[in-house]
Amino acid sequence: MTKTTDVHGDKIHLGISSCLLGQKVRFDGNHKLDSFLTGTLGQFFEWVPVCPEVAIGLGIPRPPIRLVGSADAPRAVGVKDASLDVTDKLAAYGRQQARKLGDLSGYVFKSRSPSCGMERVKVYQHAGIPAKSGRGIYADAFLAGQPWLPAEEEGRLSDPRLRENFIERVFIYRRWQELAAQGLTAARLVEFHTRHKLALMAHDVEAYRALGRLVAQAGRRNLKESGREYLLHLMQAFQRLATPARHANVLMHLMGYLKTHLDAGDKAELLGMIHAYRRGEAPFAAPLTLLKHHFRRHPDPYIAGQTYLNPDPRELLLRGGL
């Protein structure tokens, strides 16, 4: 397994369902190896594998389980033997792992699993077609303990927009973890928020404004509580997918910092490129590259500190090069 070290010398750890790494831990003794996770993302992250069903003492192979009952409070029971009920054990293990694995920067769960699925897991009733509205017992308990943690299912990562969003959230959260390791102060919270302002605007403008108000009040409130509230709302905001329209608005905002430096021709070229991107006639990289070119010629310290234009090099490679 290739391990990549970040700029501060620590590994970027992501939790993962063990079967996705090729470990033969499924109920039938097989695996669900995902070559994208092991081959591509595995070059940048260190995976921390977990199989909750094995961890709570179920064997390999073992009787399969499924969710039954109501979607909001299902039970995990044996498919053939309903007296096999592992709900409480899976939930307890999820809560335990959420405390134990506090250094994770993200998590990839196995989709549709009654223990690990994040959404649309089948929940069976006494009769009729099962509702695809449940959540795996372990995943639900784990994420309740770490509600801010970037998490995704392996199947959804085949969607380029969802994959890019997940990677962006992982690196944002990793930067927060580095901040927390230094010690949270009001000044550091302000600096962190300032660095992410433009990226946040591309995802959720209302959250951008609300988080700005929260940061402004941080010095007058309990800092630990303010930090926890900020982190939760920040990560929720970044779950909202950025759109070409919101990106274009941010690009126009960036252009405003160059208005005294560009001549009429440069302004027309940049404006035309932004509008072309908004209409779907040019890739996002086109106006972004042009803006970076102009900011190299006309540096601005505020813009230079923005993660929107200057993300971690590995983040840039993963988001743009896959």
Side-chain angles (χ1 to χ4, degrees):
M1 181 187 304
T2 304
K3 302 178 181 180
T4 299
T5 303
D6 73 10
V7 293
H8 295 284
D10 298 324
K11 305 294 191 311
I12 300 180
H13 292 73
L14 270 64
I16 191 170
S17 296
S18 301
C19 60
L20 297 175
L21 295 182
Q23 296 184 14
K24 296 182 178 182
V25 294
R26 287 177 59 81
F27 73 94
D28 56 3
N30 289 317
H31 60 76
K32 286 289 183 178
L33 176 66
D34 189 302
S35 57
F36 170 73
L37 297 176
T38 58
T40 302
L41 293 190
Q43 299 176 59
F44 296 85
F45 305 124
E46 179 175 349
W47 297 112
V48 179
V50 179
C51 178
E53 294 179 22
V54 172
I56 64 171
L58 298 179
I60 307 171
R62 56 184 175 275
I65 59 174
R66 65 181 182 180
L67 299 184
V68 300
S70 64
D72 56 345
R75 306 294 298 181
V77 303
V79 172
K80 296 181 179 180
D81 180 8
S83 67
L84 173 63
D85 188 326
V86 293
T87 310
D88 295 338
K89 287 184 177 180
L90 285 172
Y93 187 66
R95 291 190 292 269
Q96 173 190 321
Q97 290 297 92
R99 293 189 298 269
K100 178 182 177 182
L101 300 178
D103 65 337
L104 295 182
S105 299
Y107 208 123
V108 178
F109 290 96
K110 178 69 189 79
S111 61
R112 299 187 295 277
S113 163
S115 57
C116 293
M118 285 182 61
E119 58 181 43
R120 296 183 58 79
V121 179
K122 290 181 179 179
V123 181
Y124 291 81
Q125 312 296 324
H126 293 297
I129 299 174
K132 293 183 178 180
S133 55
R135 194 181 212 188
I137 304 298
Y138 166 80
D140 186 60
F142 188 100
L143 294 175
Q146 294 198 40
W148 45 77
L149 186 72
E152 195 51 272
E153 294 181 330
E154 91 290 351
R156 284 166 51 90
L157 292 177
S158 62
D159 182 312
R161 292 183 69 205
L162 295 177
R163 181 176 64 233
E164 179 177 349
N165 177 265
F166 174 67
I167 291 168
E168 181 181 18
R169 287 186 286 132
V170 165
F171 279 91
I172 290 168
Y173 185 52
R174 182 58 191 158
R175 288 190 286 271
W176 177 268
Q177 289 174 308
E178 292 168 356
L179 167 62
Q182 294 172 359
L184 181 63
T185 66
R188 285 173 177 163
L189 180 59
V190 169
E191 191 274 339
F192 180 91
H193 180 68
T194 299
R195 291 177 64 199
H196 294 85
K197 277 185 175 182
L198 297 183
L200 186 55
M201 287 174 63
H203 287 264
D204 192 328
V205 174
E206 289 303 314
Y208 160 78
R209 296 182 182 126
L211 286 166
R213 291 192 294 269
L214 178 60
V215 169
Q217 299 167 4
R220 301 190 295 272
R221 299 177 53 195
N222 180 287
L223 190 57
K224 184 176 180 180
E225 292 179 2
S226 294
R228 183 182 177 91
E229 183 180 352
Y230 175 86
L231 175 61
L232 181 59
H233 290 299
L234 177 78
M235 299 312 297
Q236 288 174 342
F238 274 101
Q239 278 188 281
R240 184 180 184 188
L241 295 180
T243 65
R246 285 196 288 269
H247 271 308
N249 289 340
V250 175
L251 296 172
M252 293 291 290
H253 183 78
L254 282 165
M255 185 176 174
Y257 284 85
L258 295 164
K259 62 183 179 181
T260 61
H261 301 292
L262 303 184
D263 60 29
D266 286 336
K267 288 179 181 178
E269 179 188 30
L270 181 53
L271 190 61
M273 192 67 72
I274 293 173
H275 287 321
Y277 162 68
R278 189 195 295 267
R279 294 191 300 266
E281 299 169 359
F284 179 56
L288 196 66
T289 301
L290 195 53
L291 277 164
K292 287 183 176 181
H293 165 73
H294 289 308
F295 279 116
R296 280 195 296 270
R297 293 173 56 205
H298 311 288
D300 182 285
Y302 171 75
I303 299 302
Q306 291 294 307
T307 62
Y308 188 82
L309 280 183
N310 300 289
D312 183 295
R314 291 164 297 156
E315 178 186 356
L316 188 63
L317 177 62
L318 281 169
R319 291 174 59 190
L322 297 180

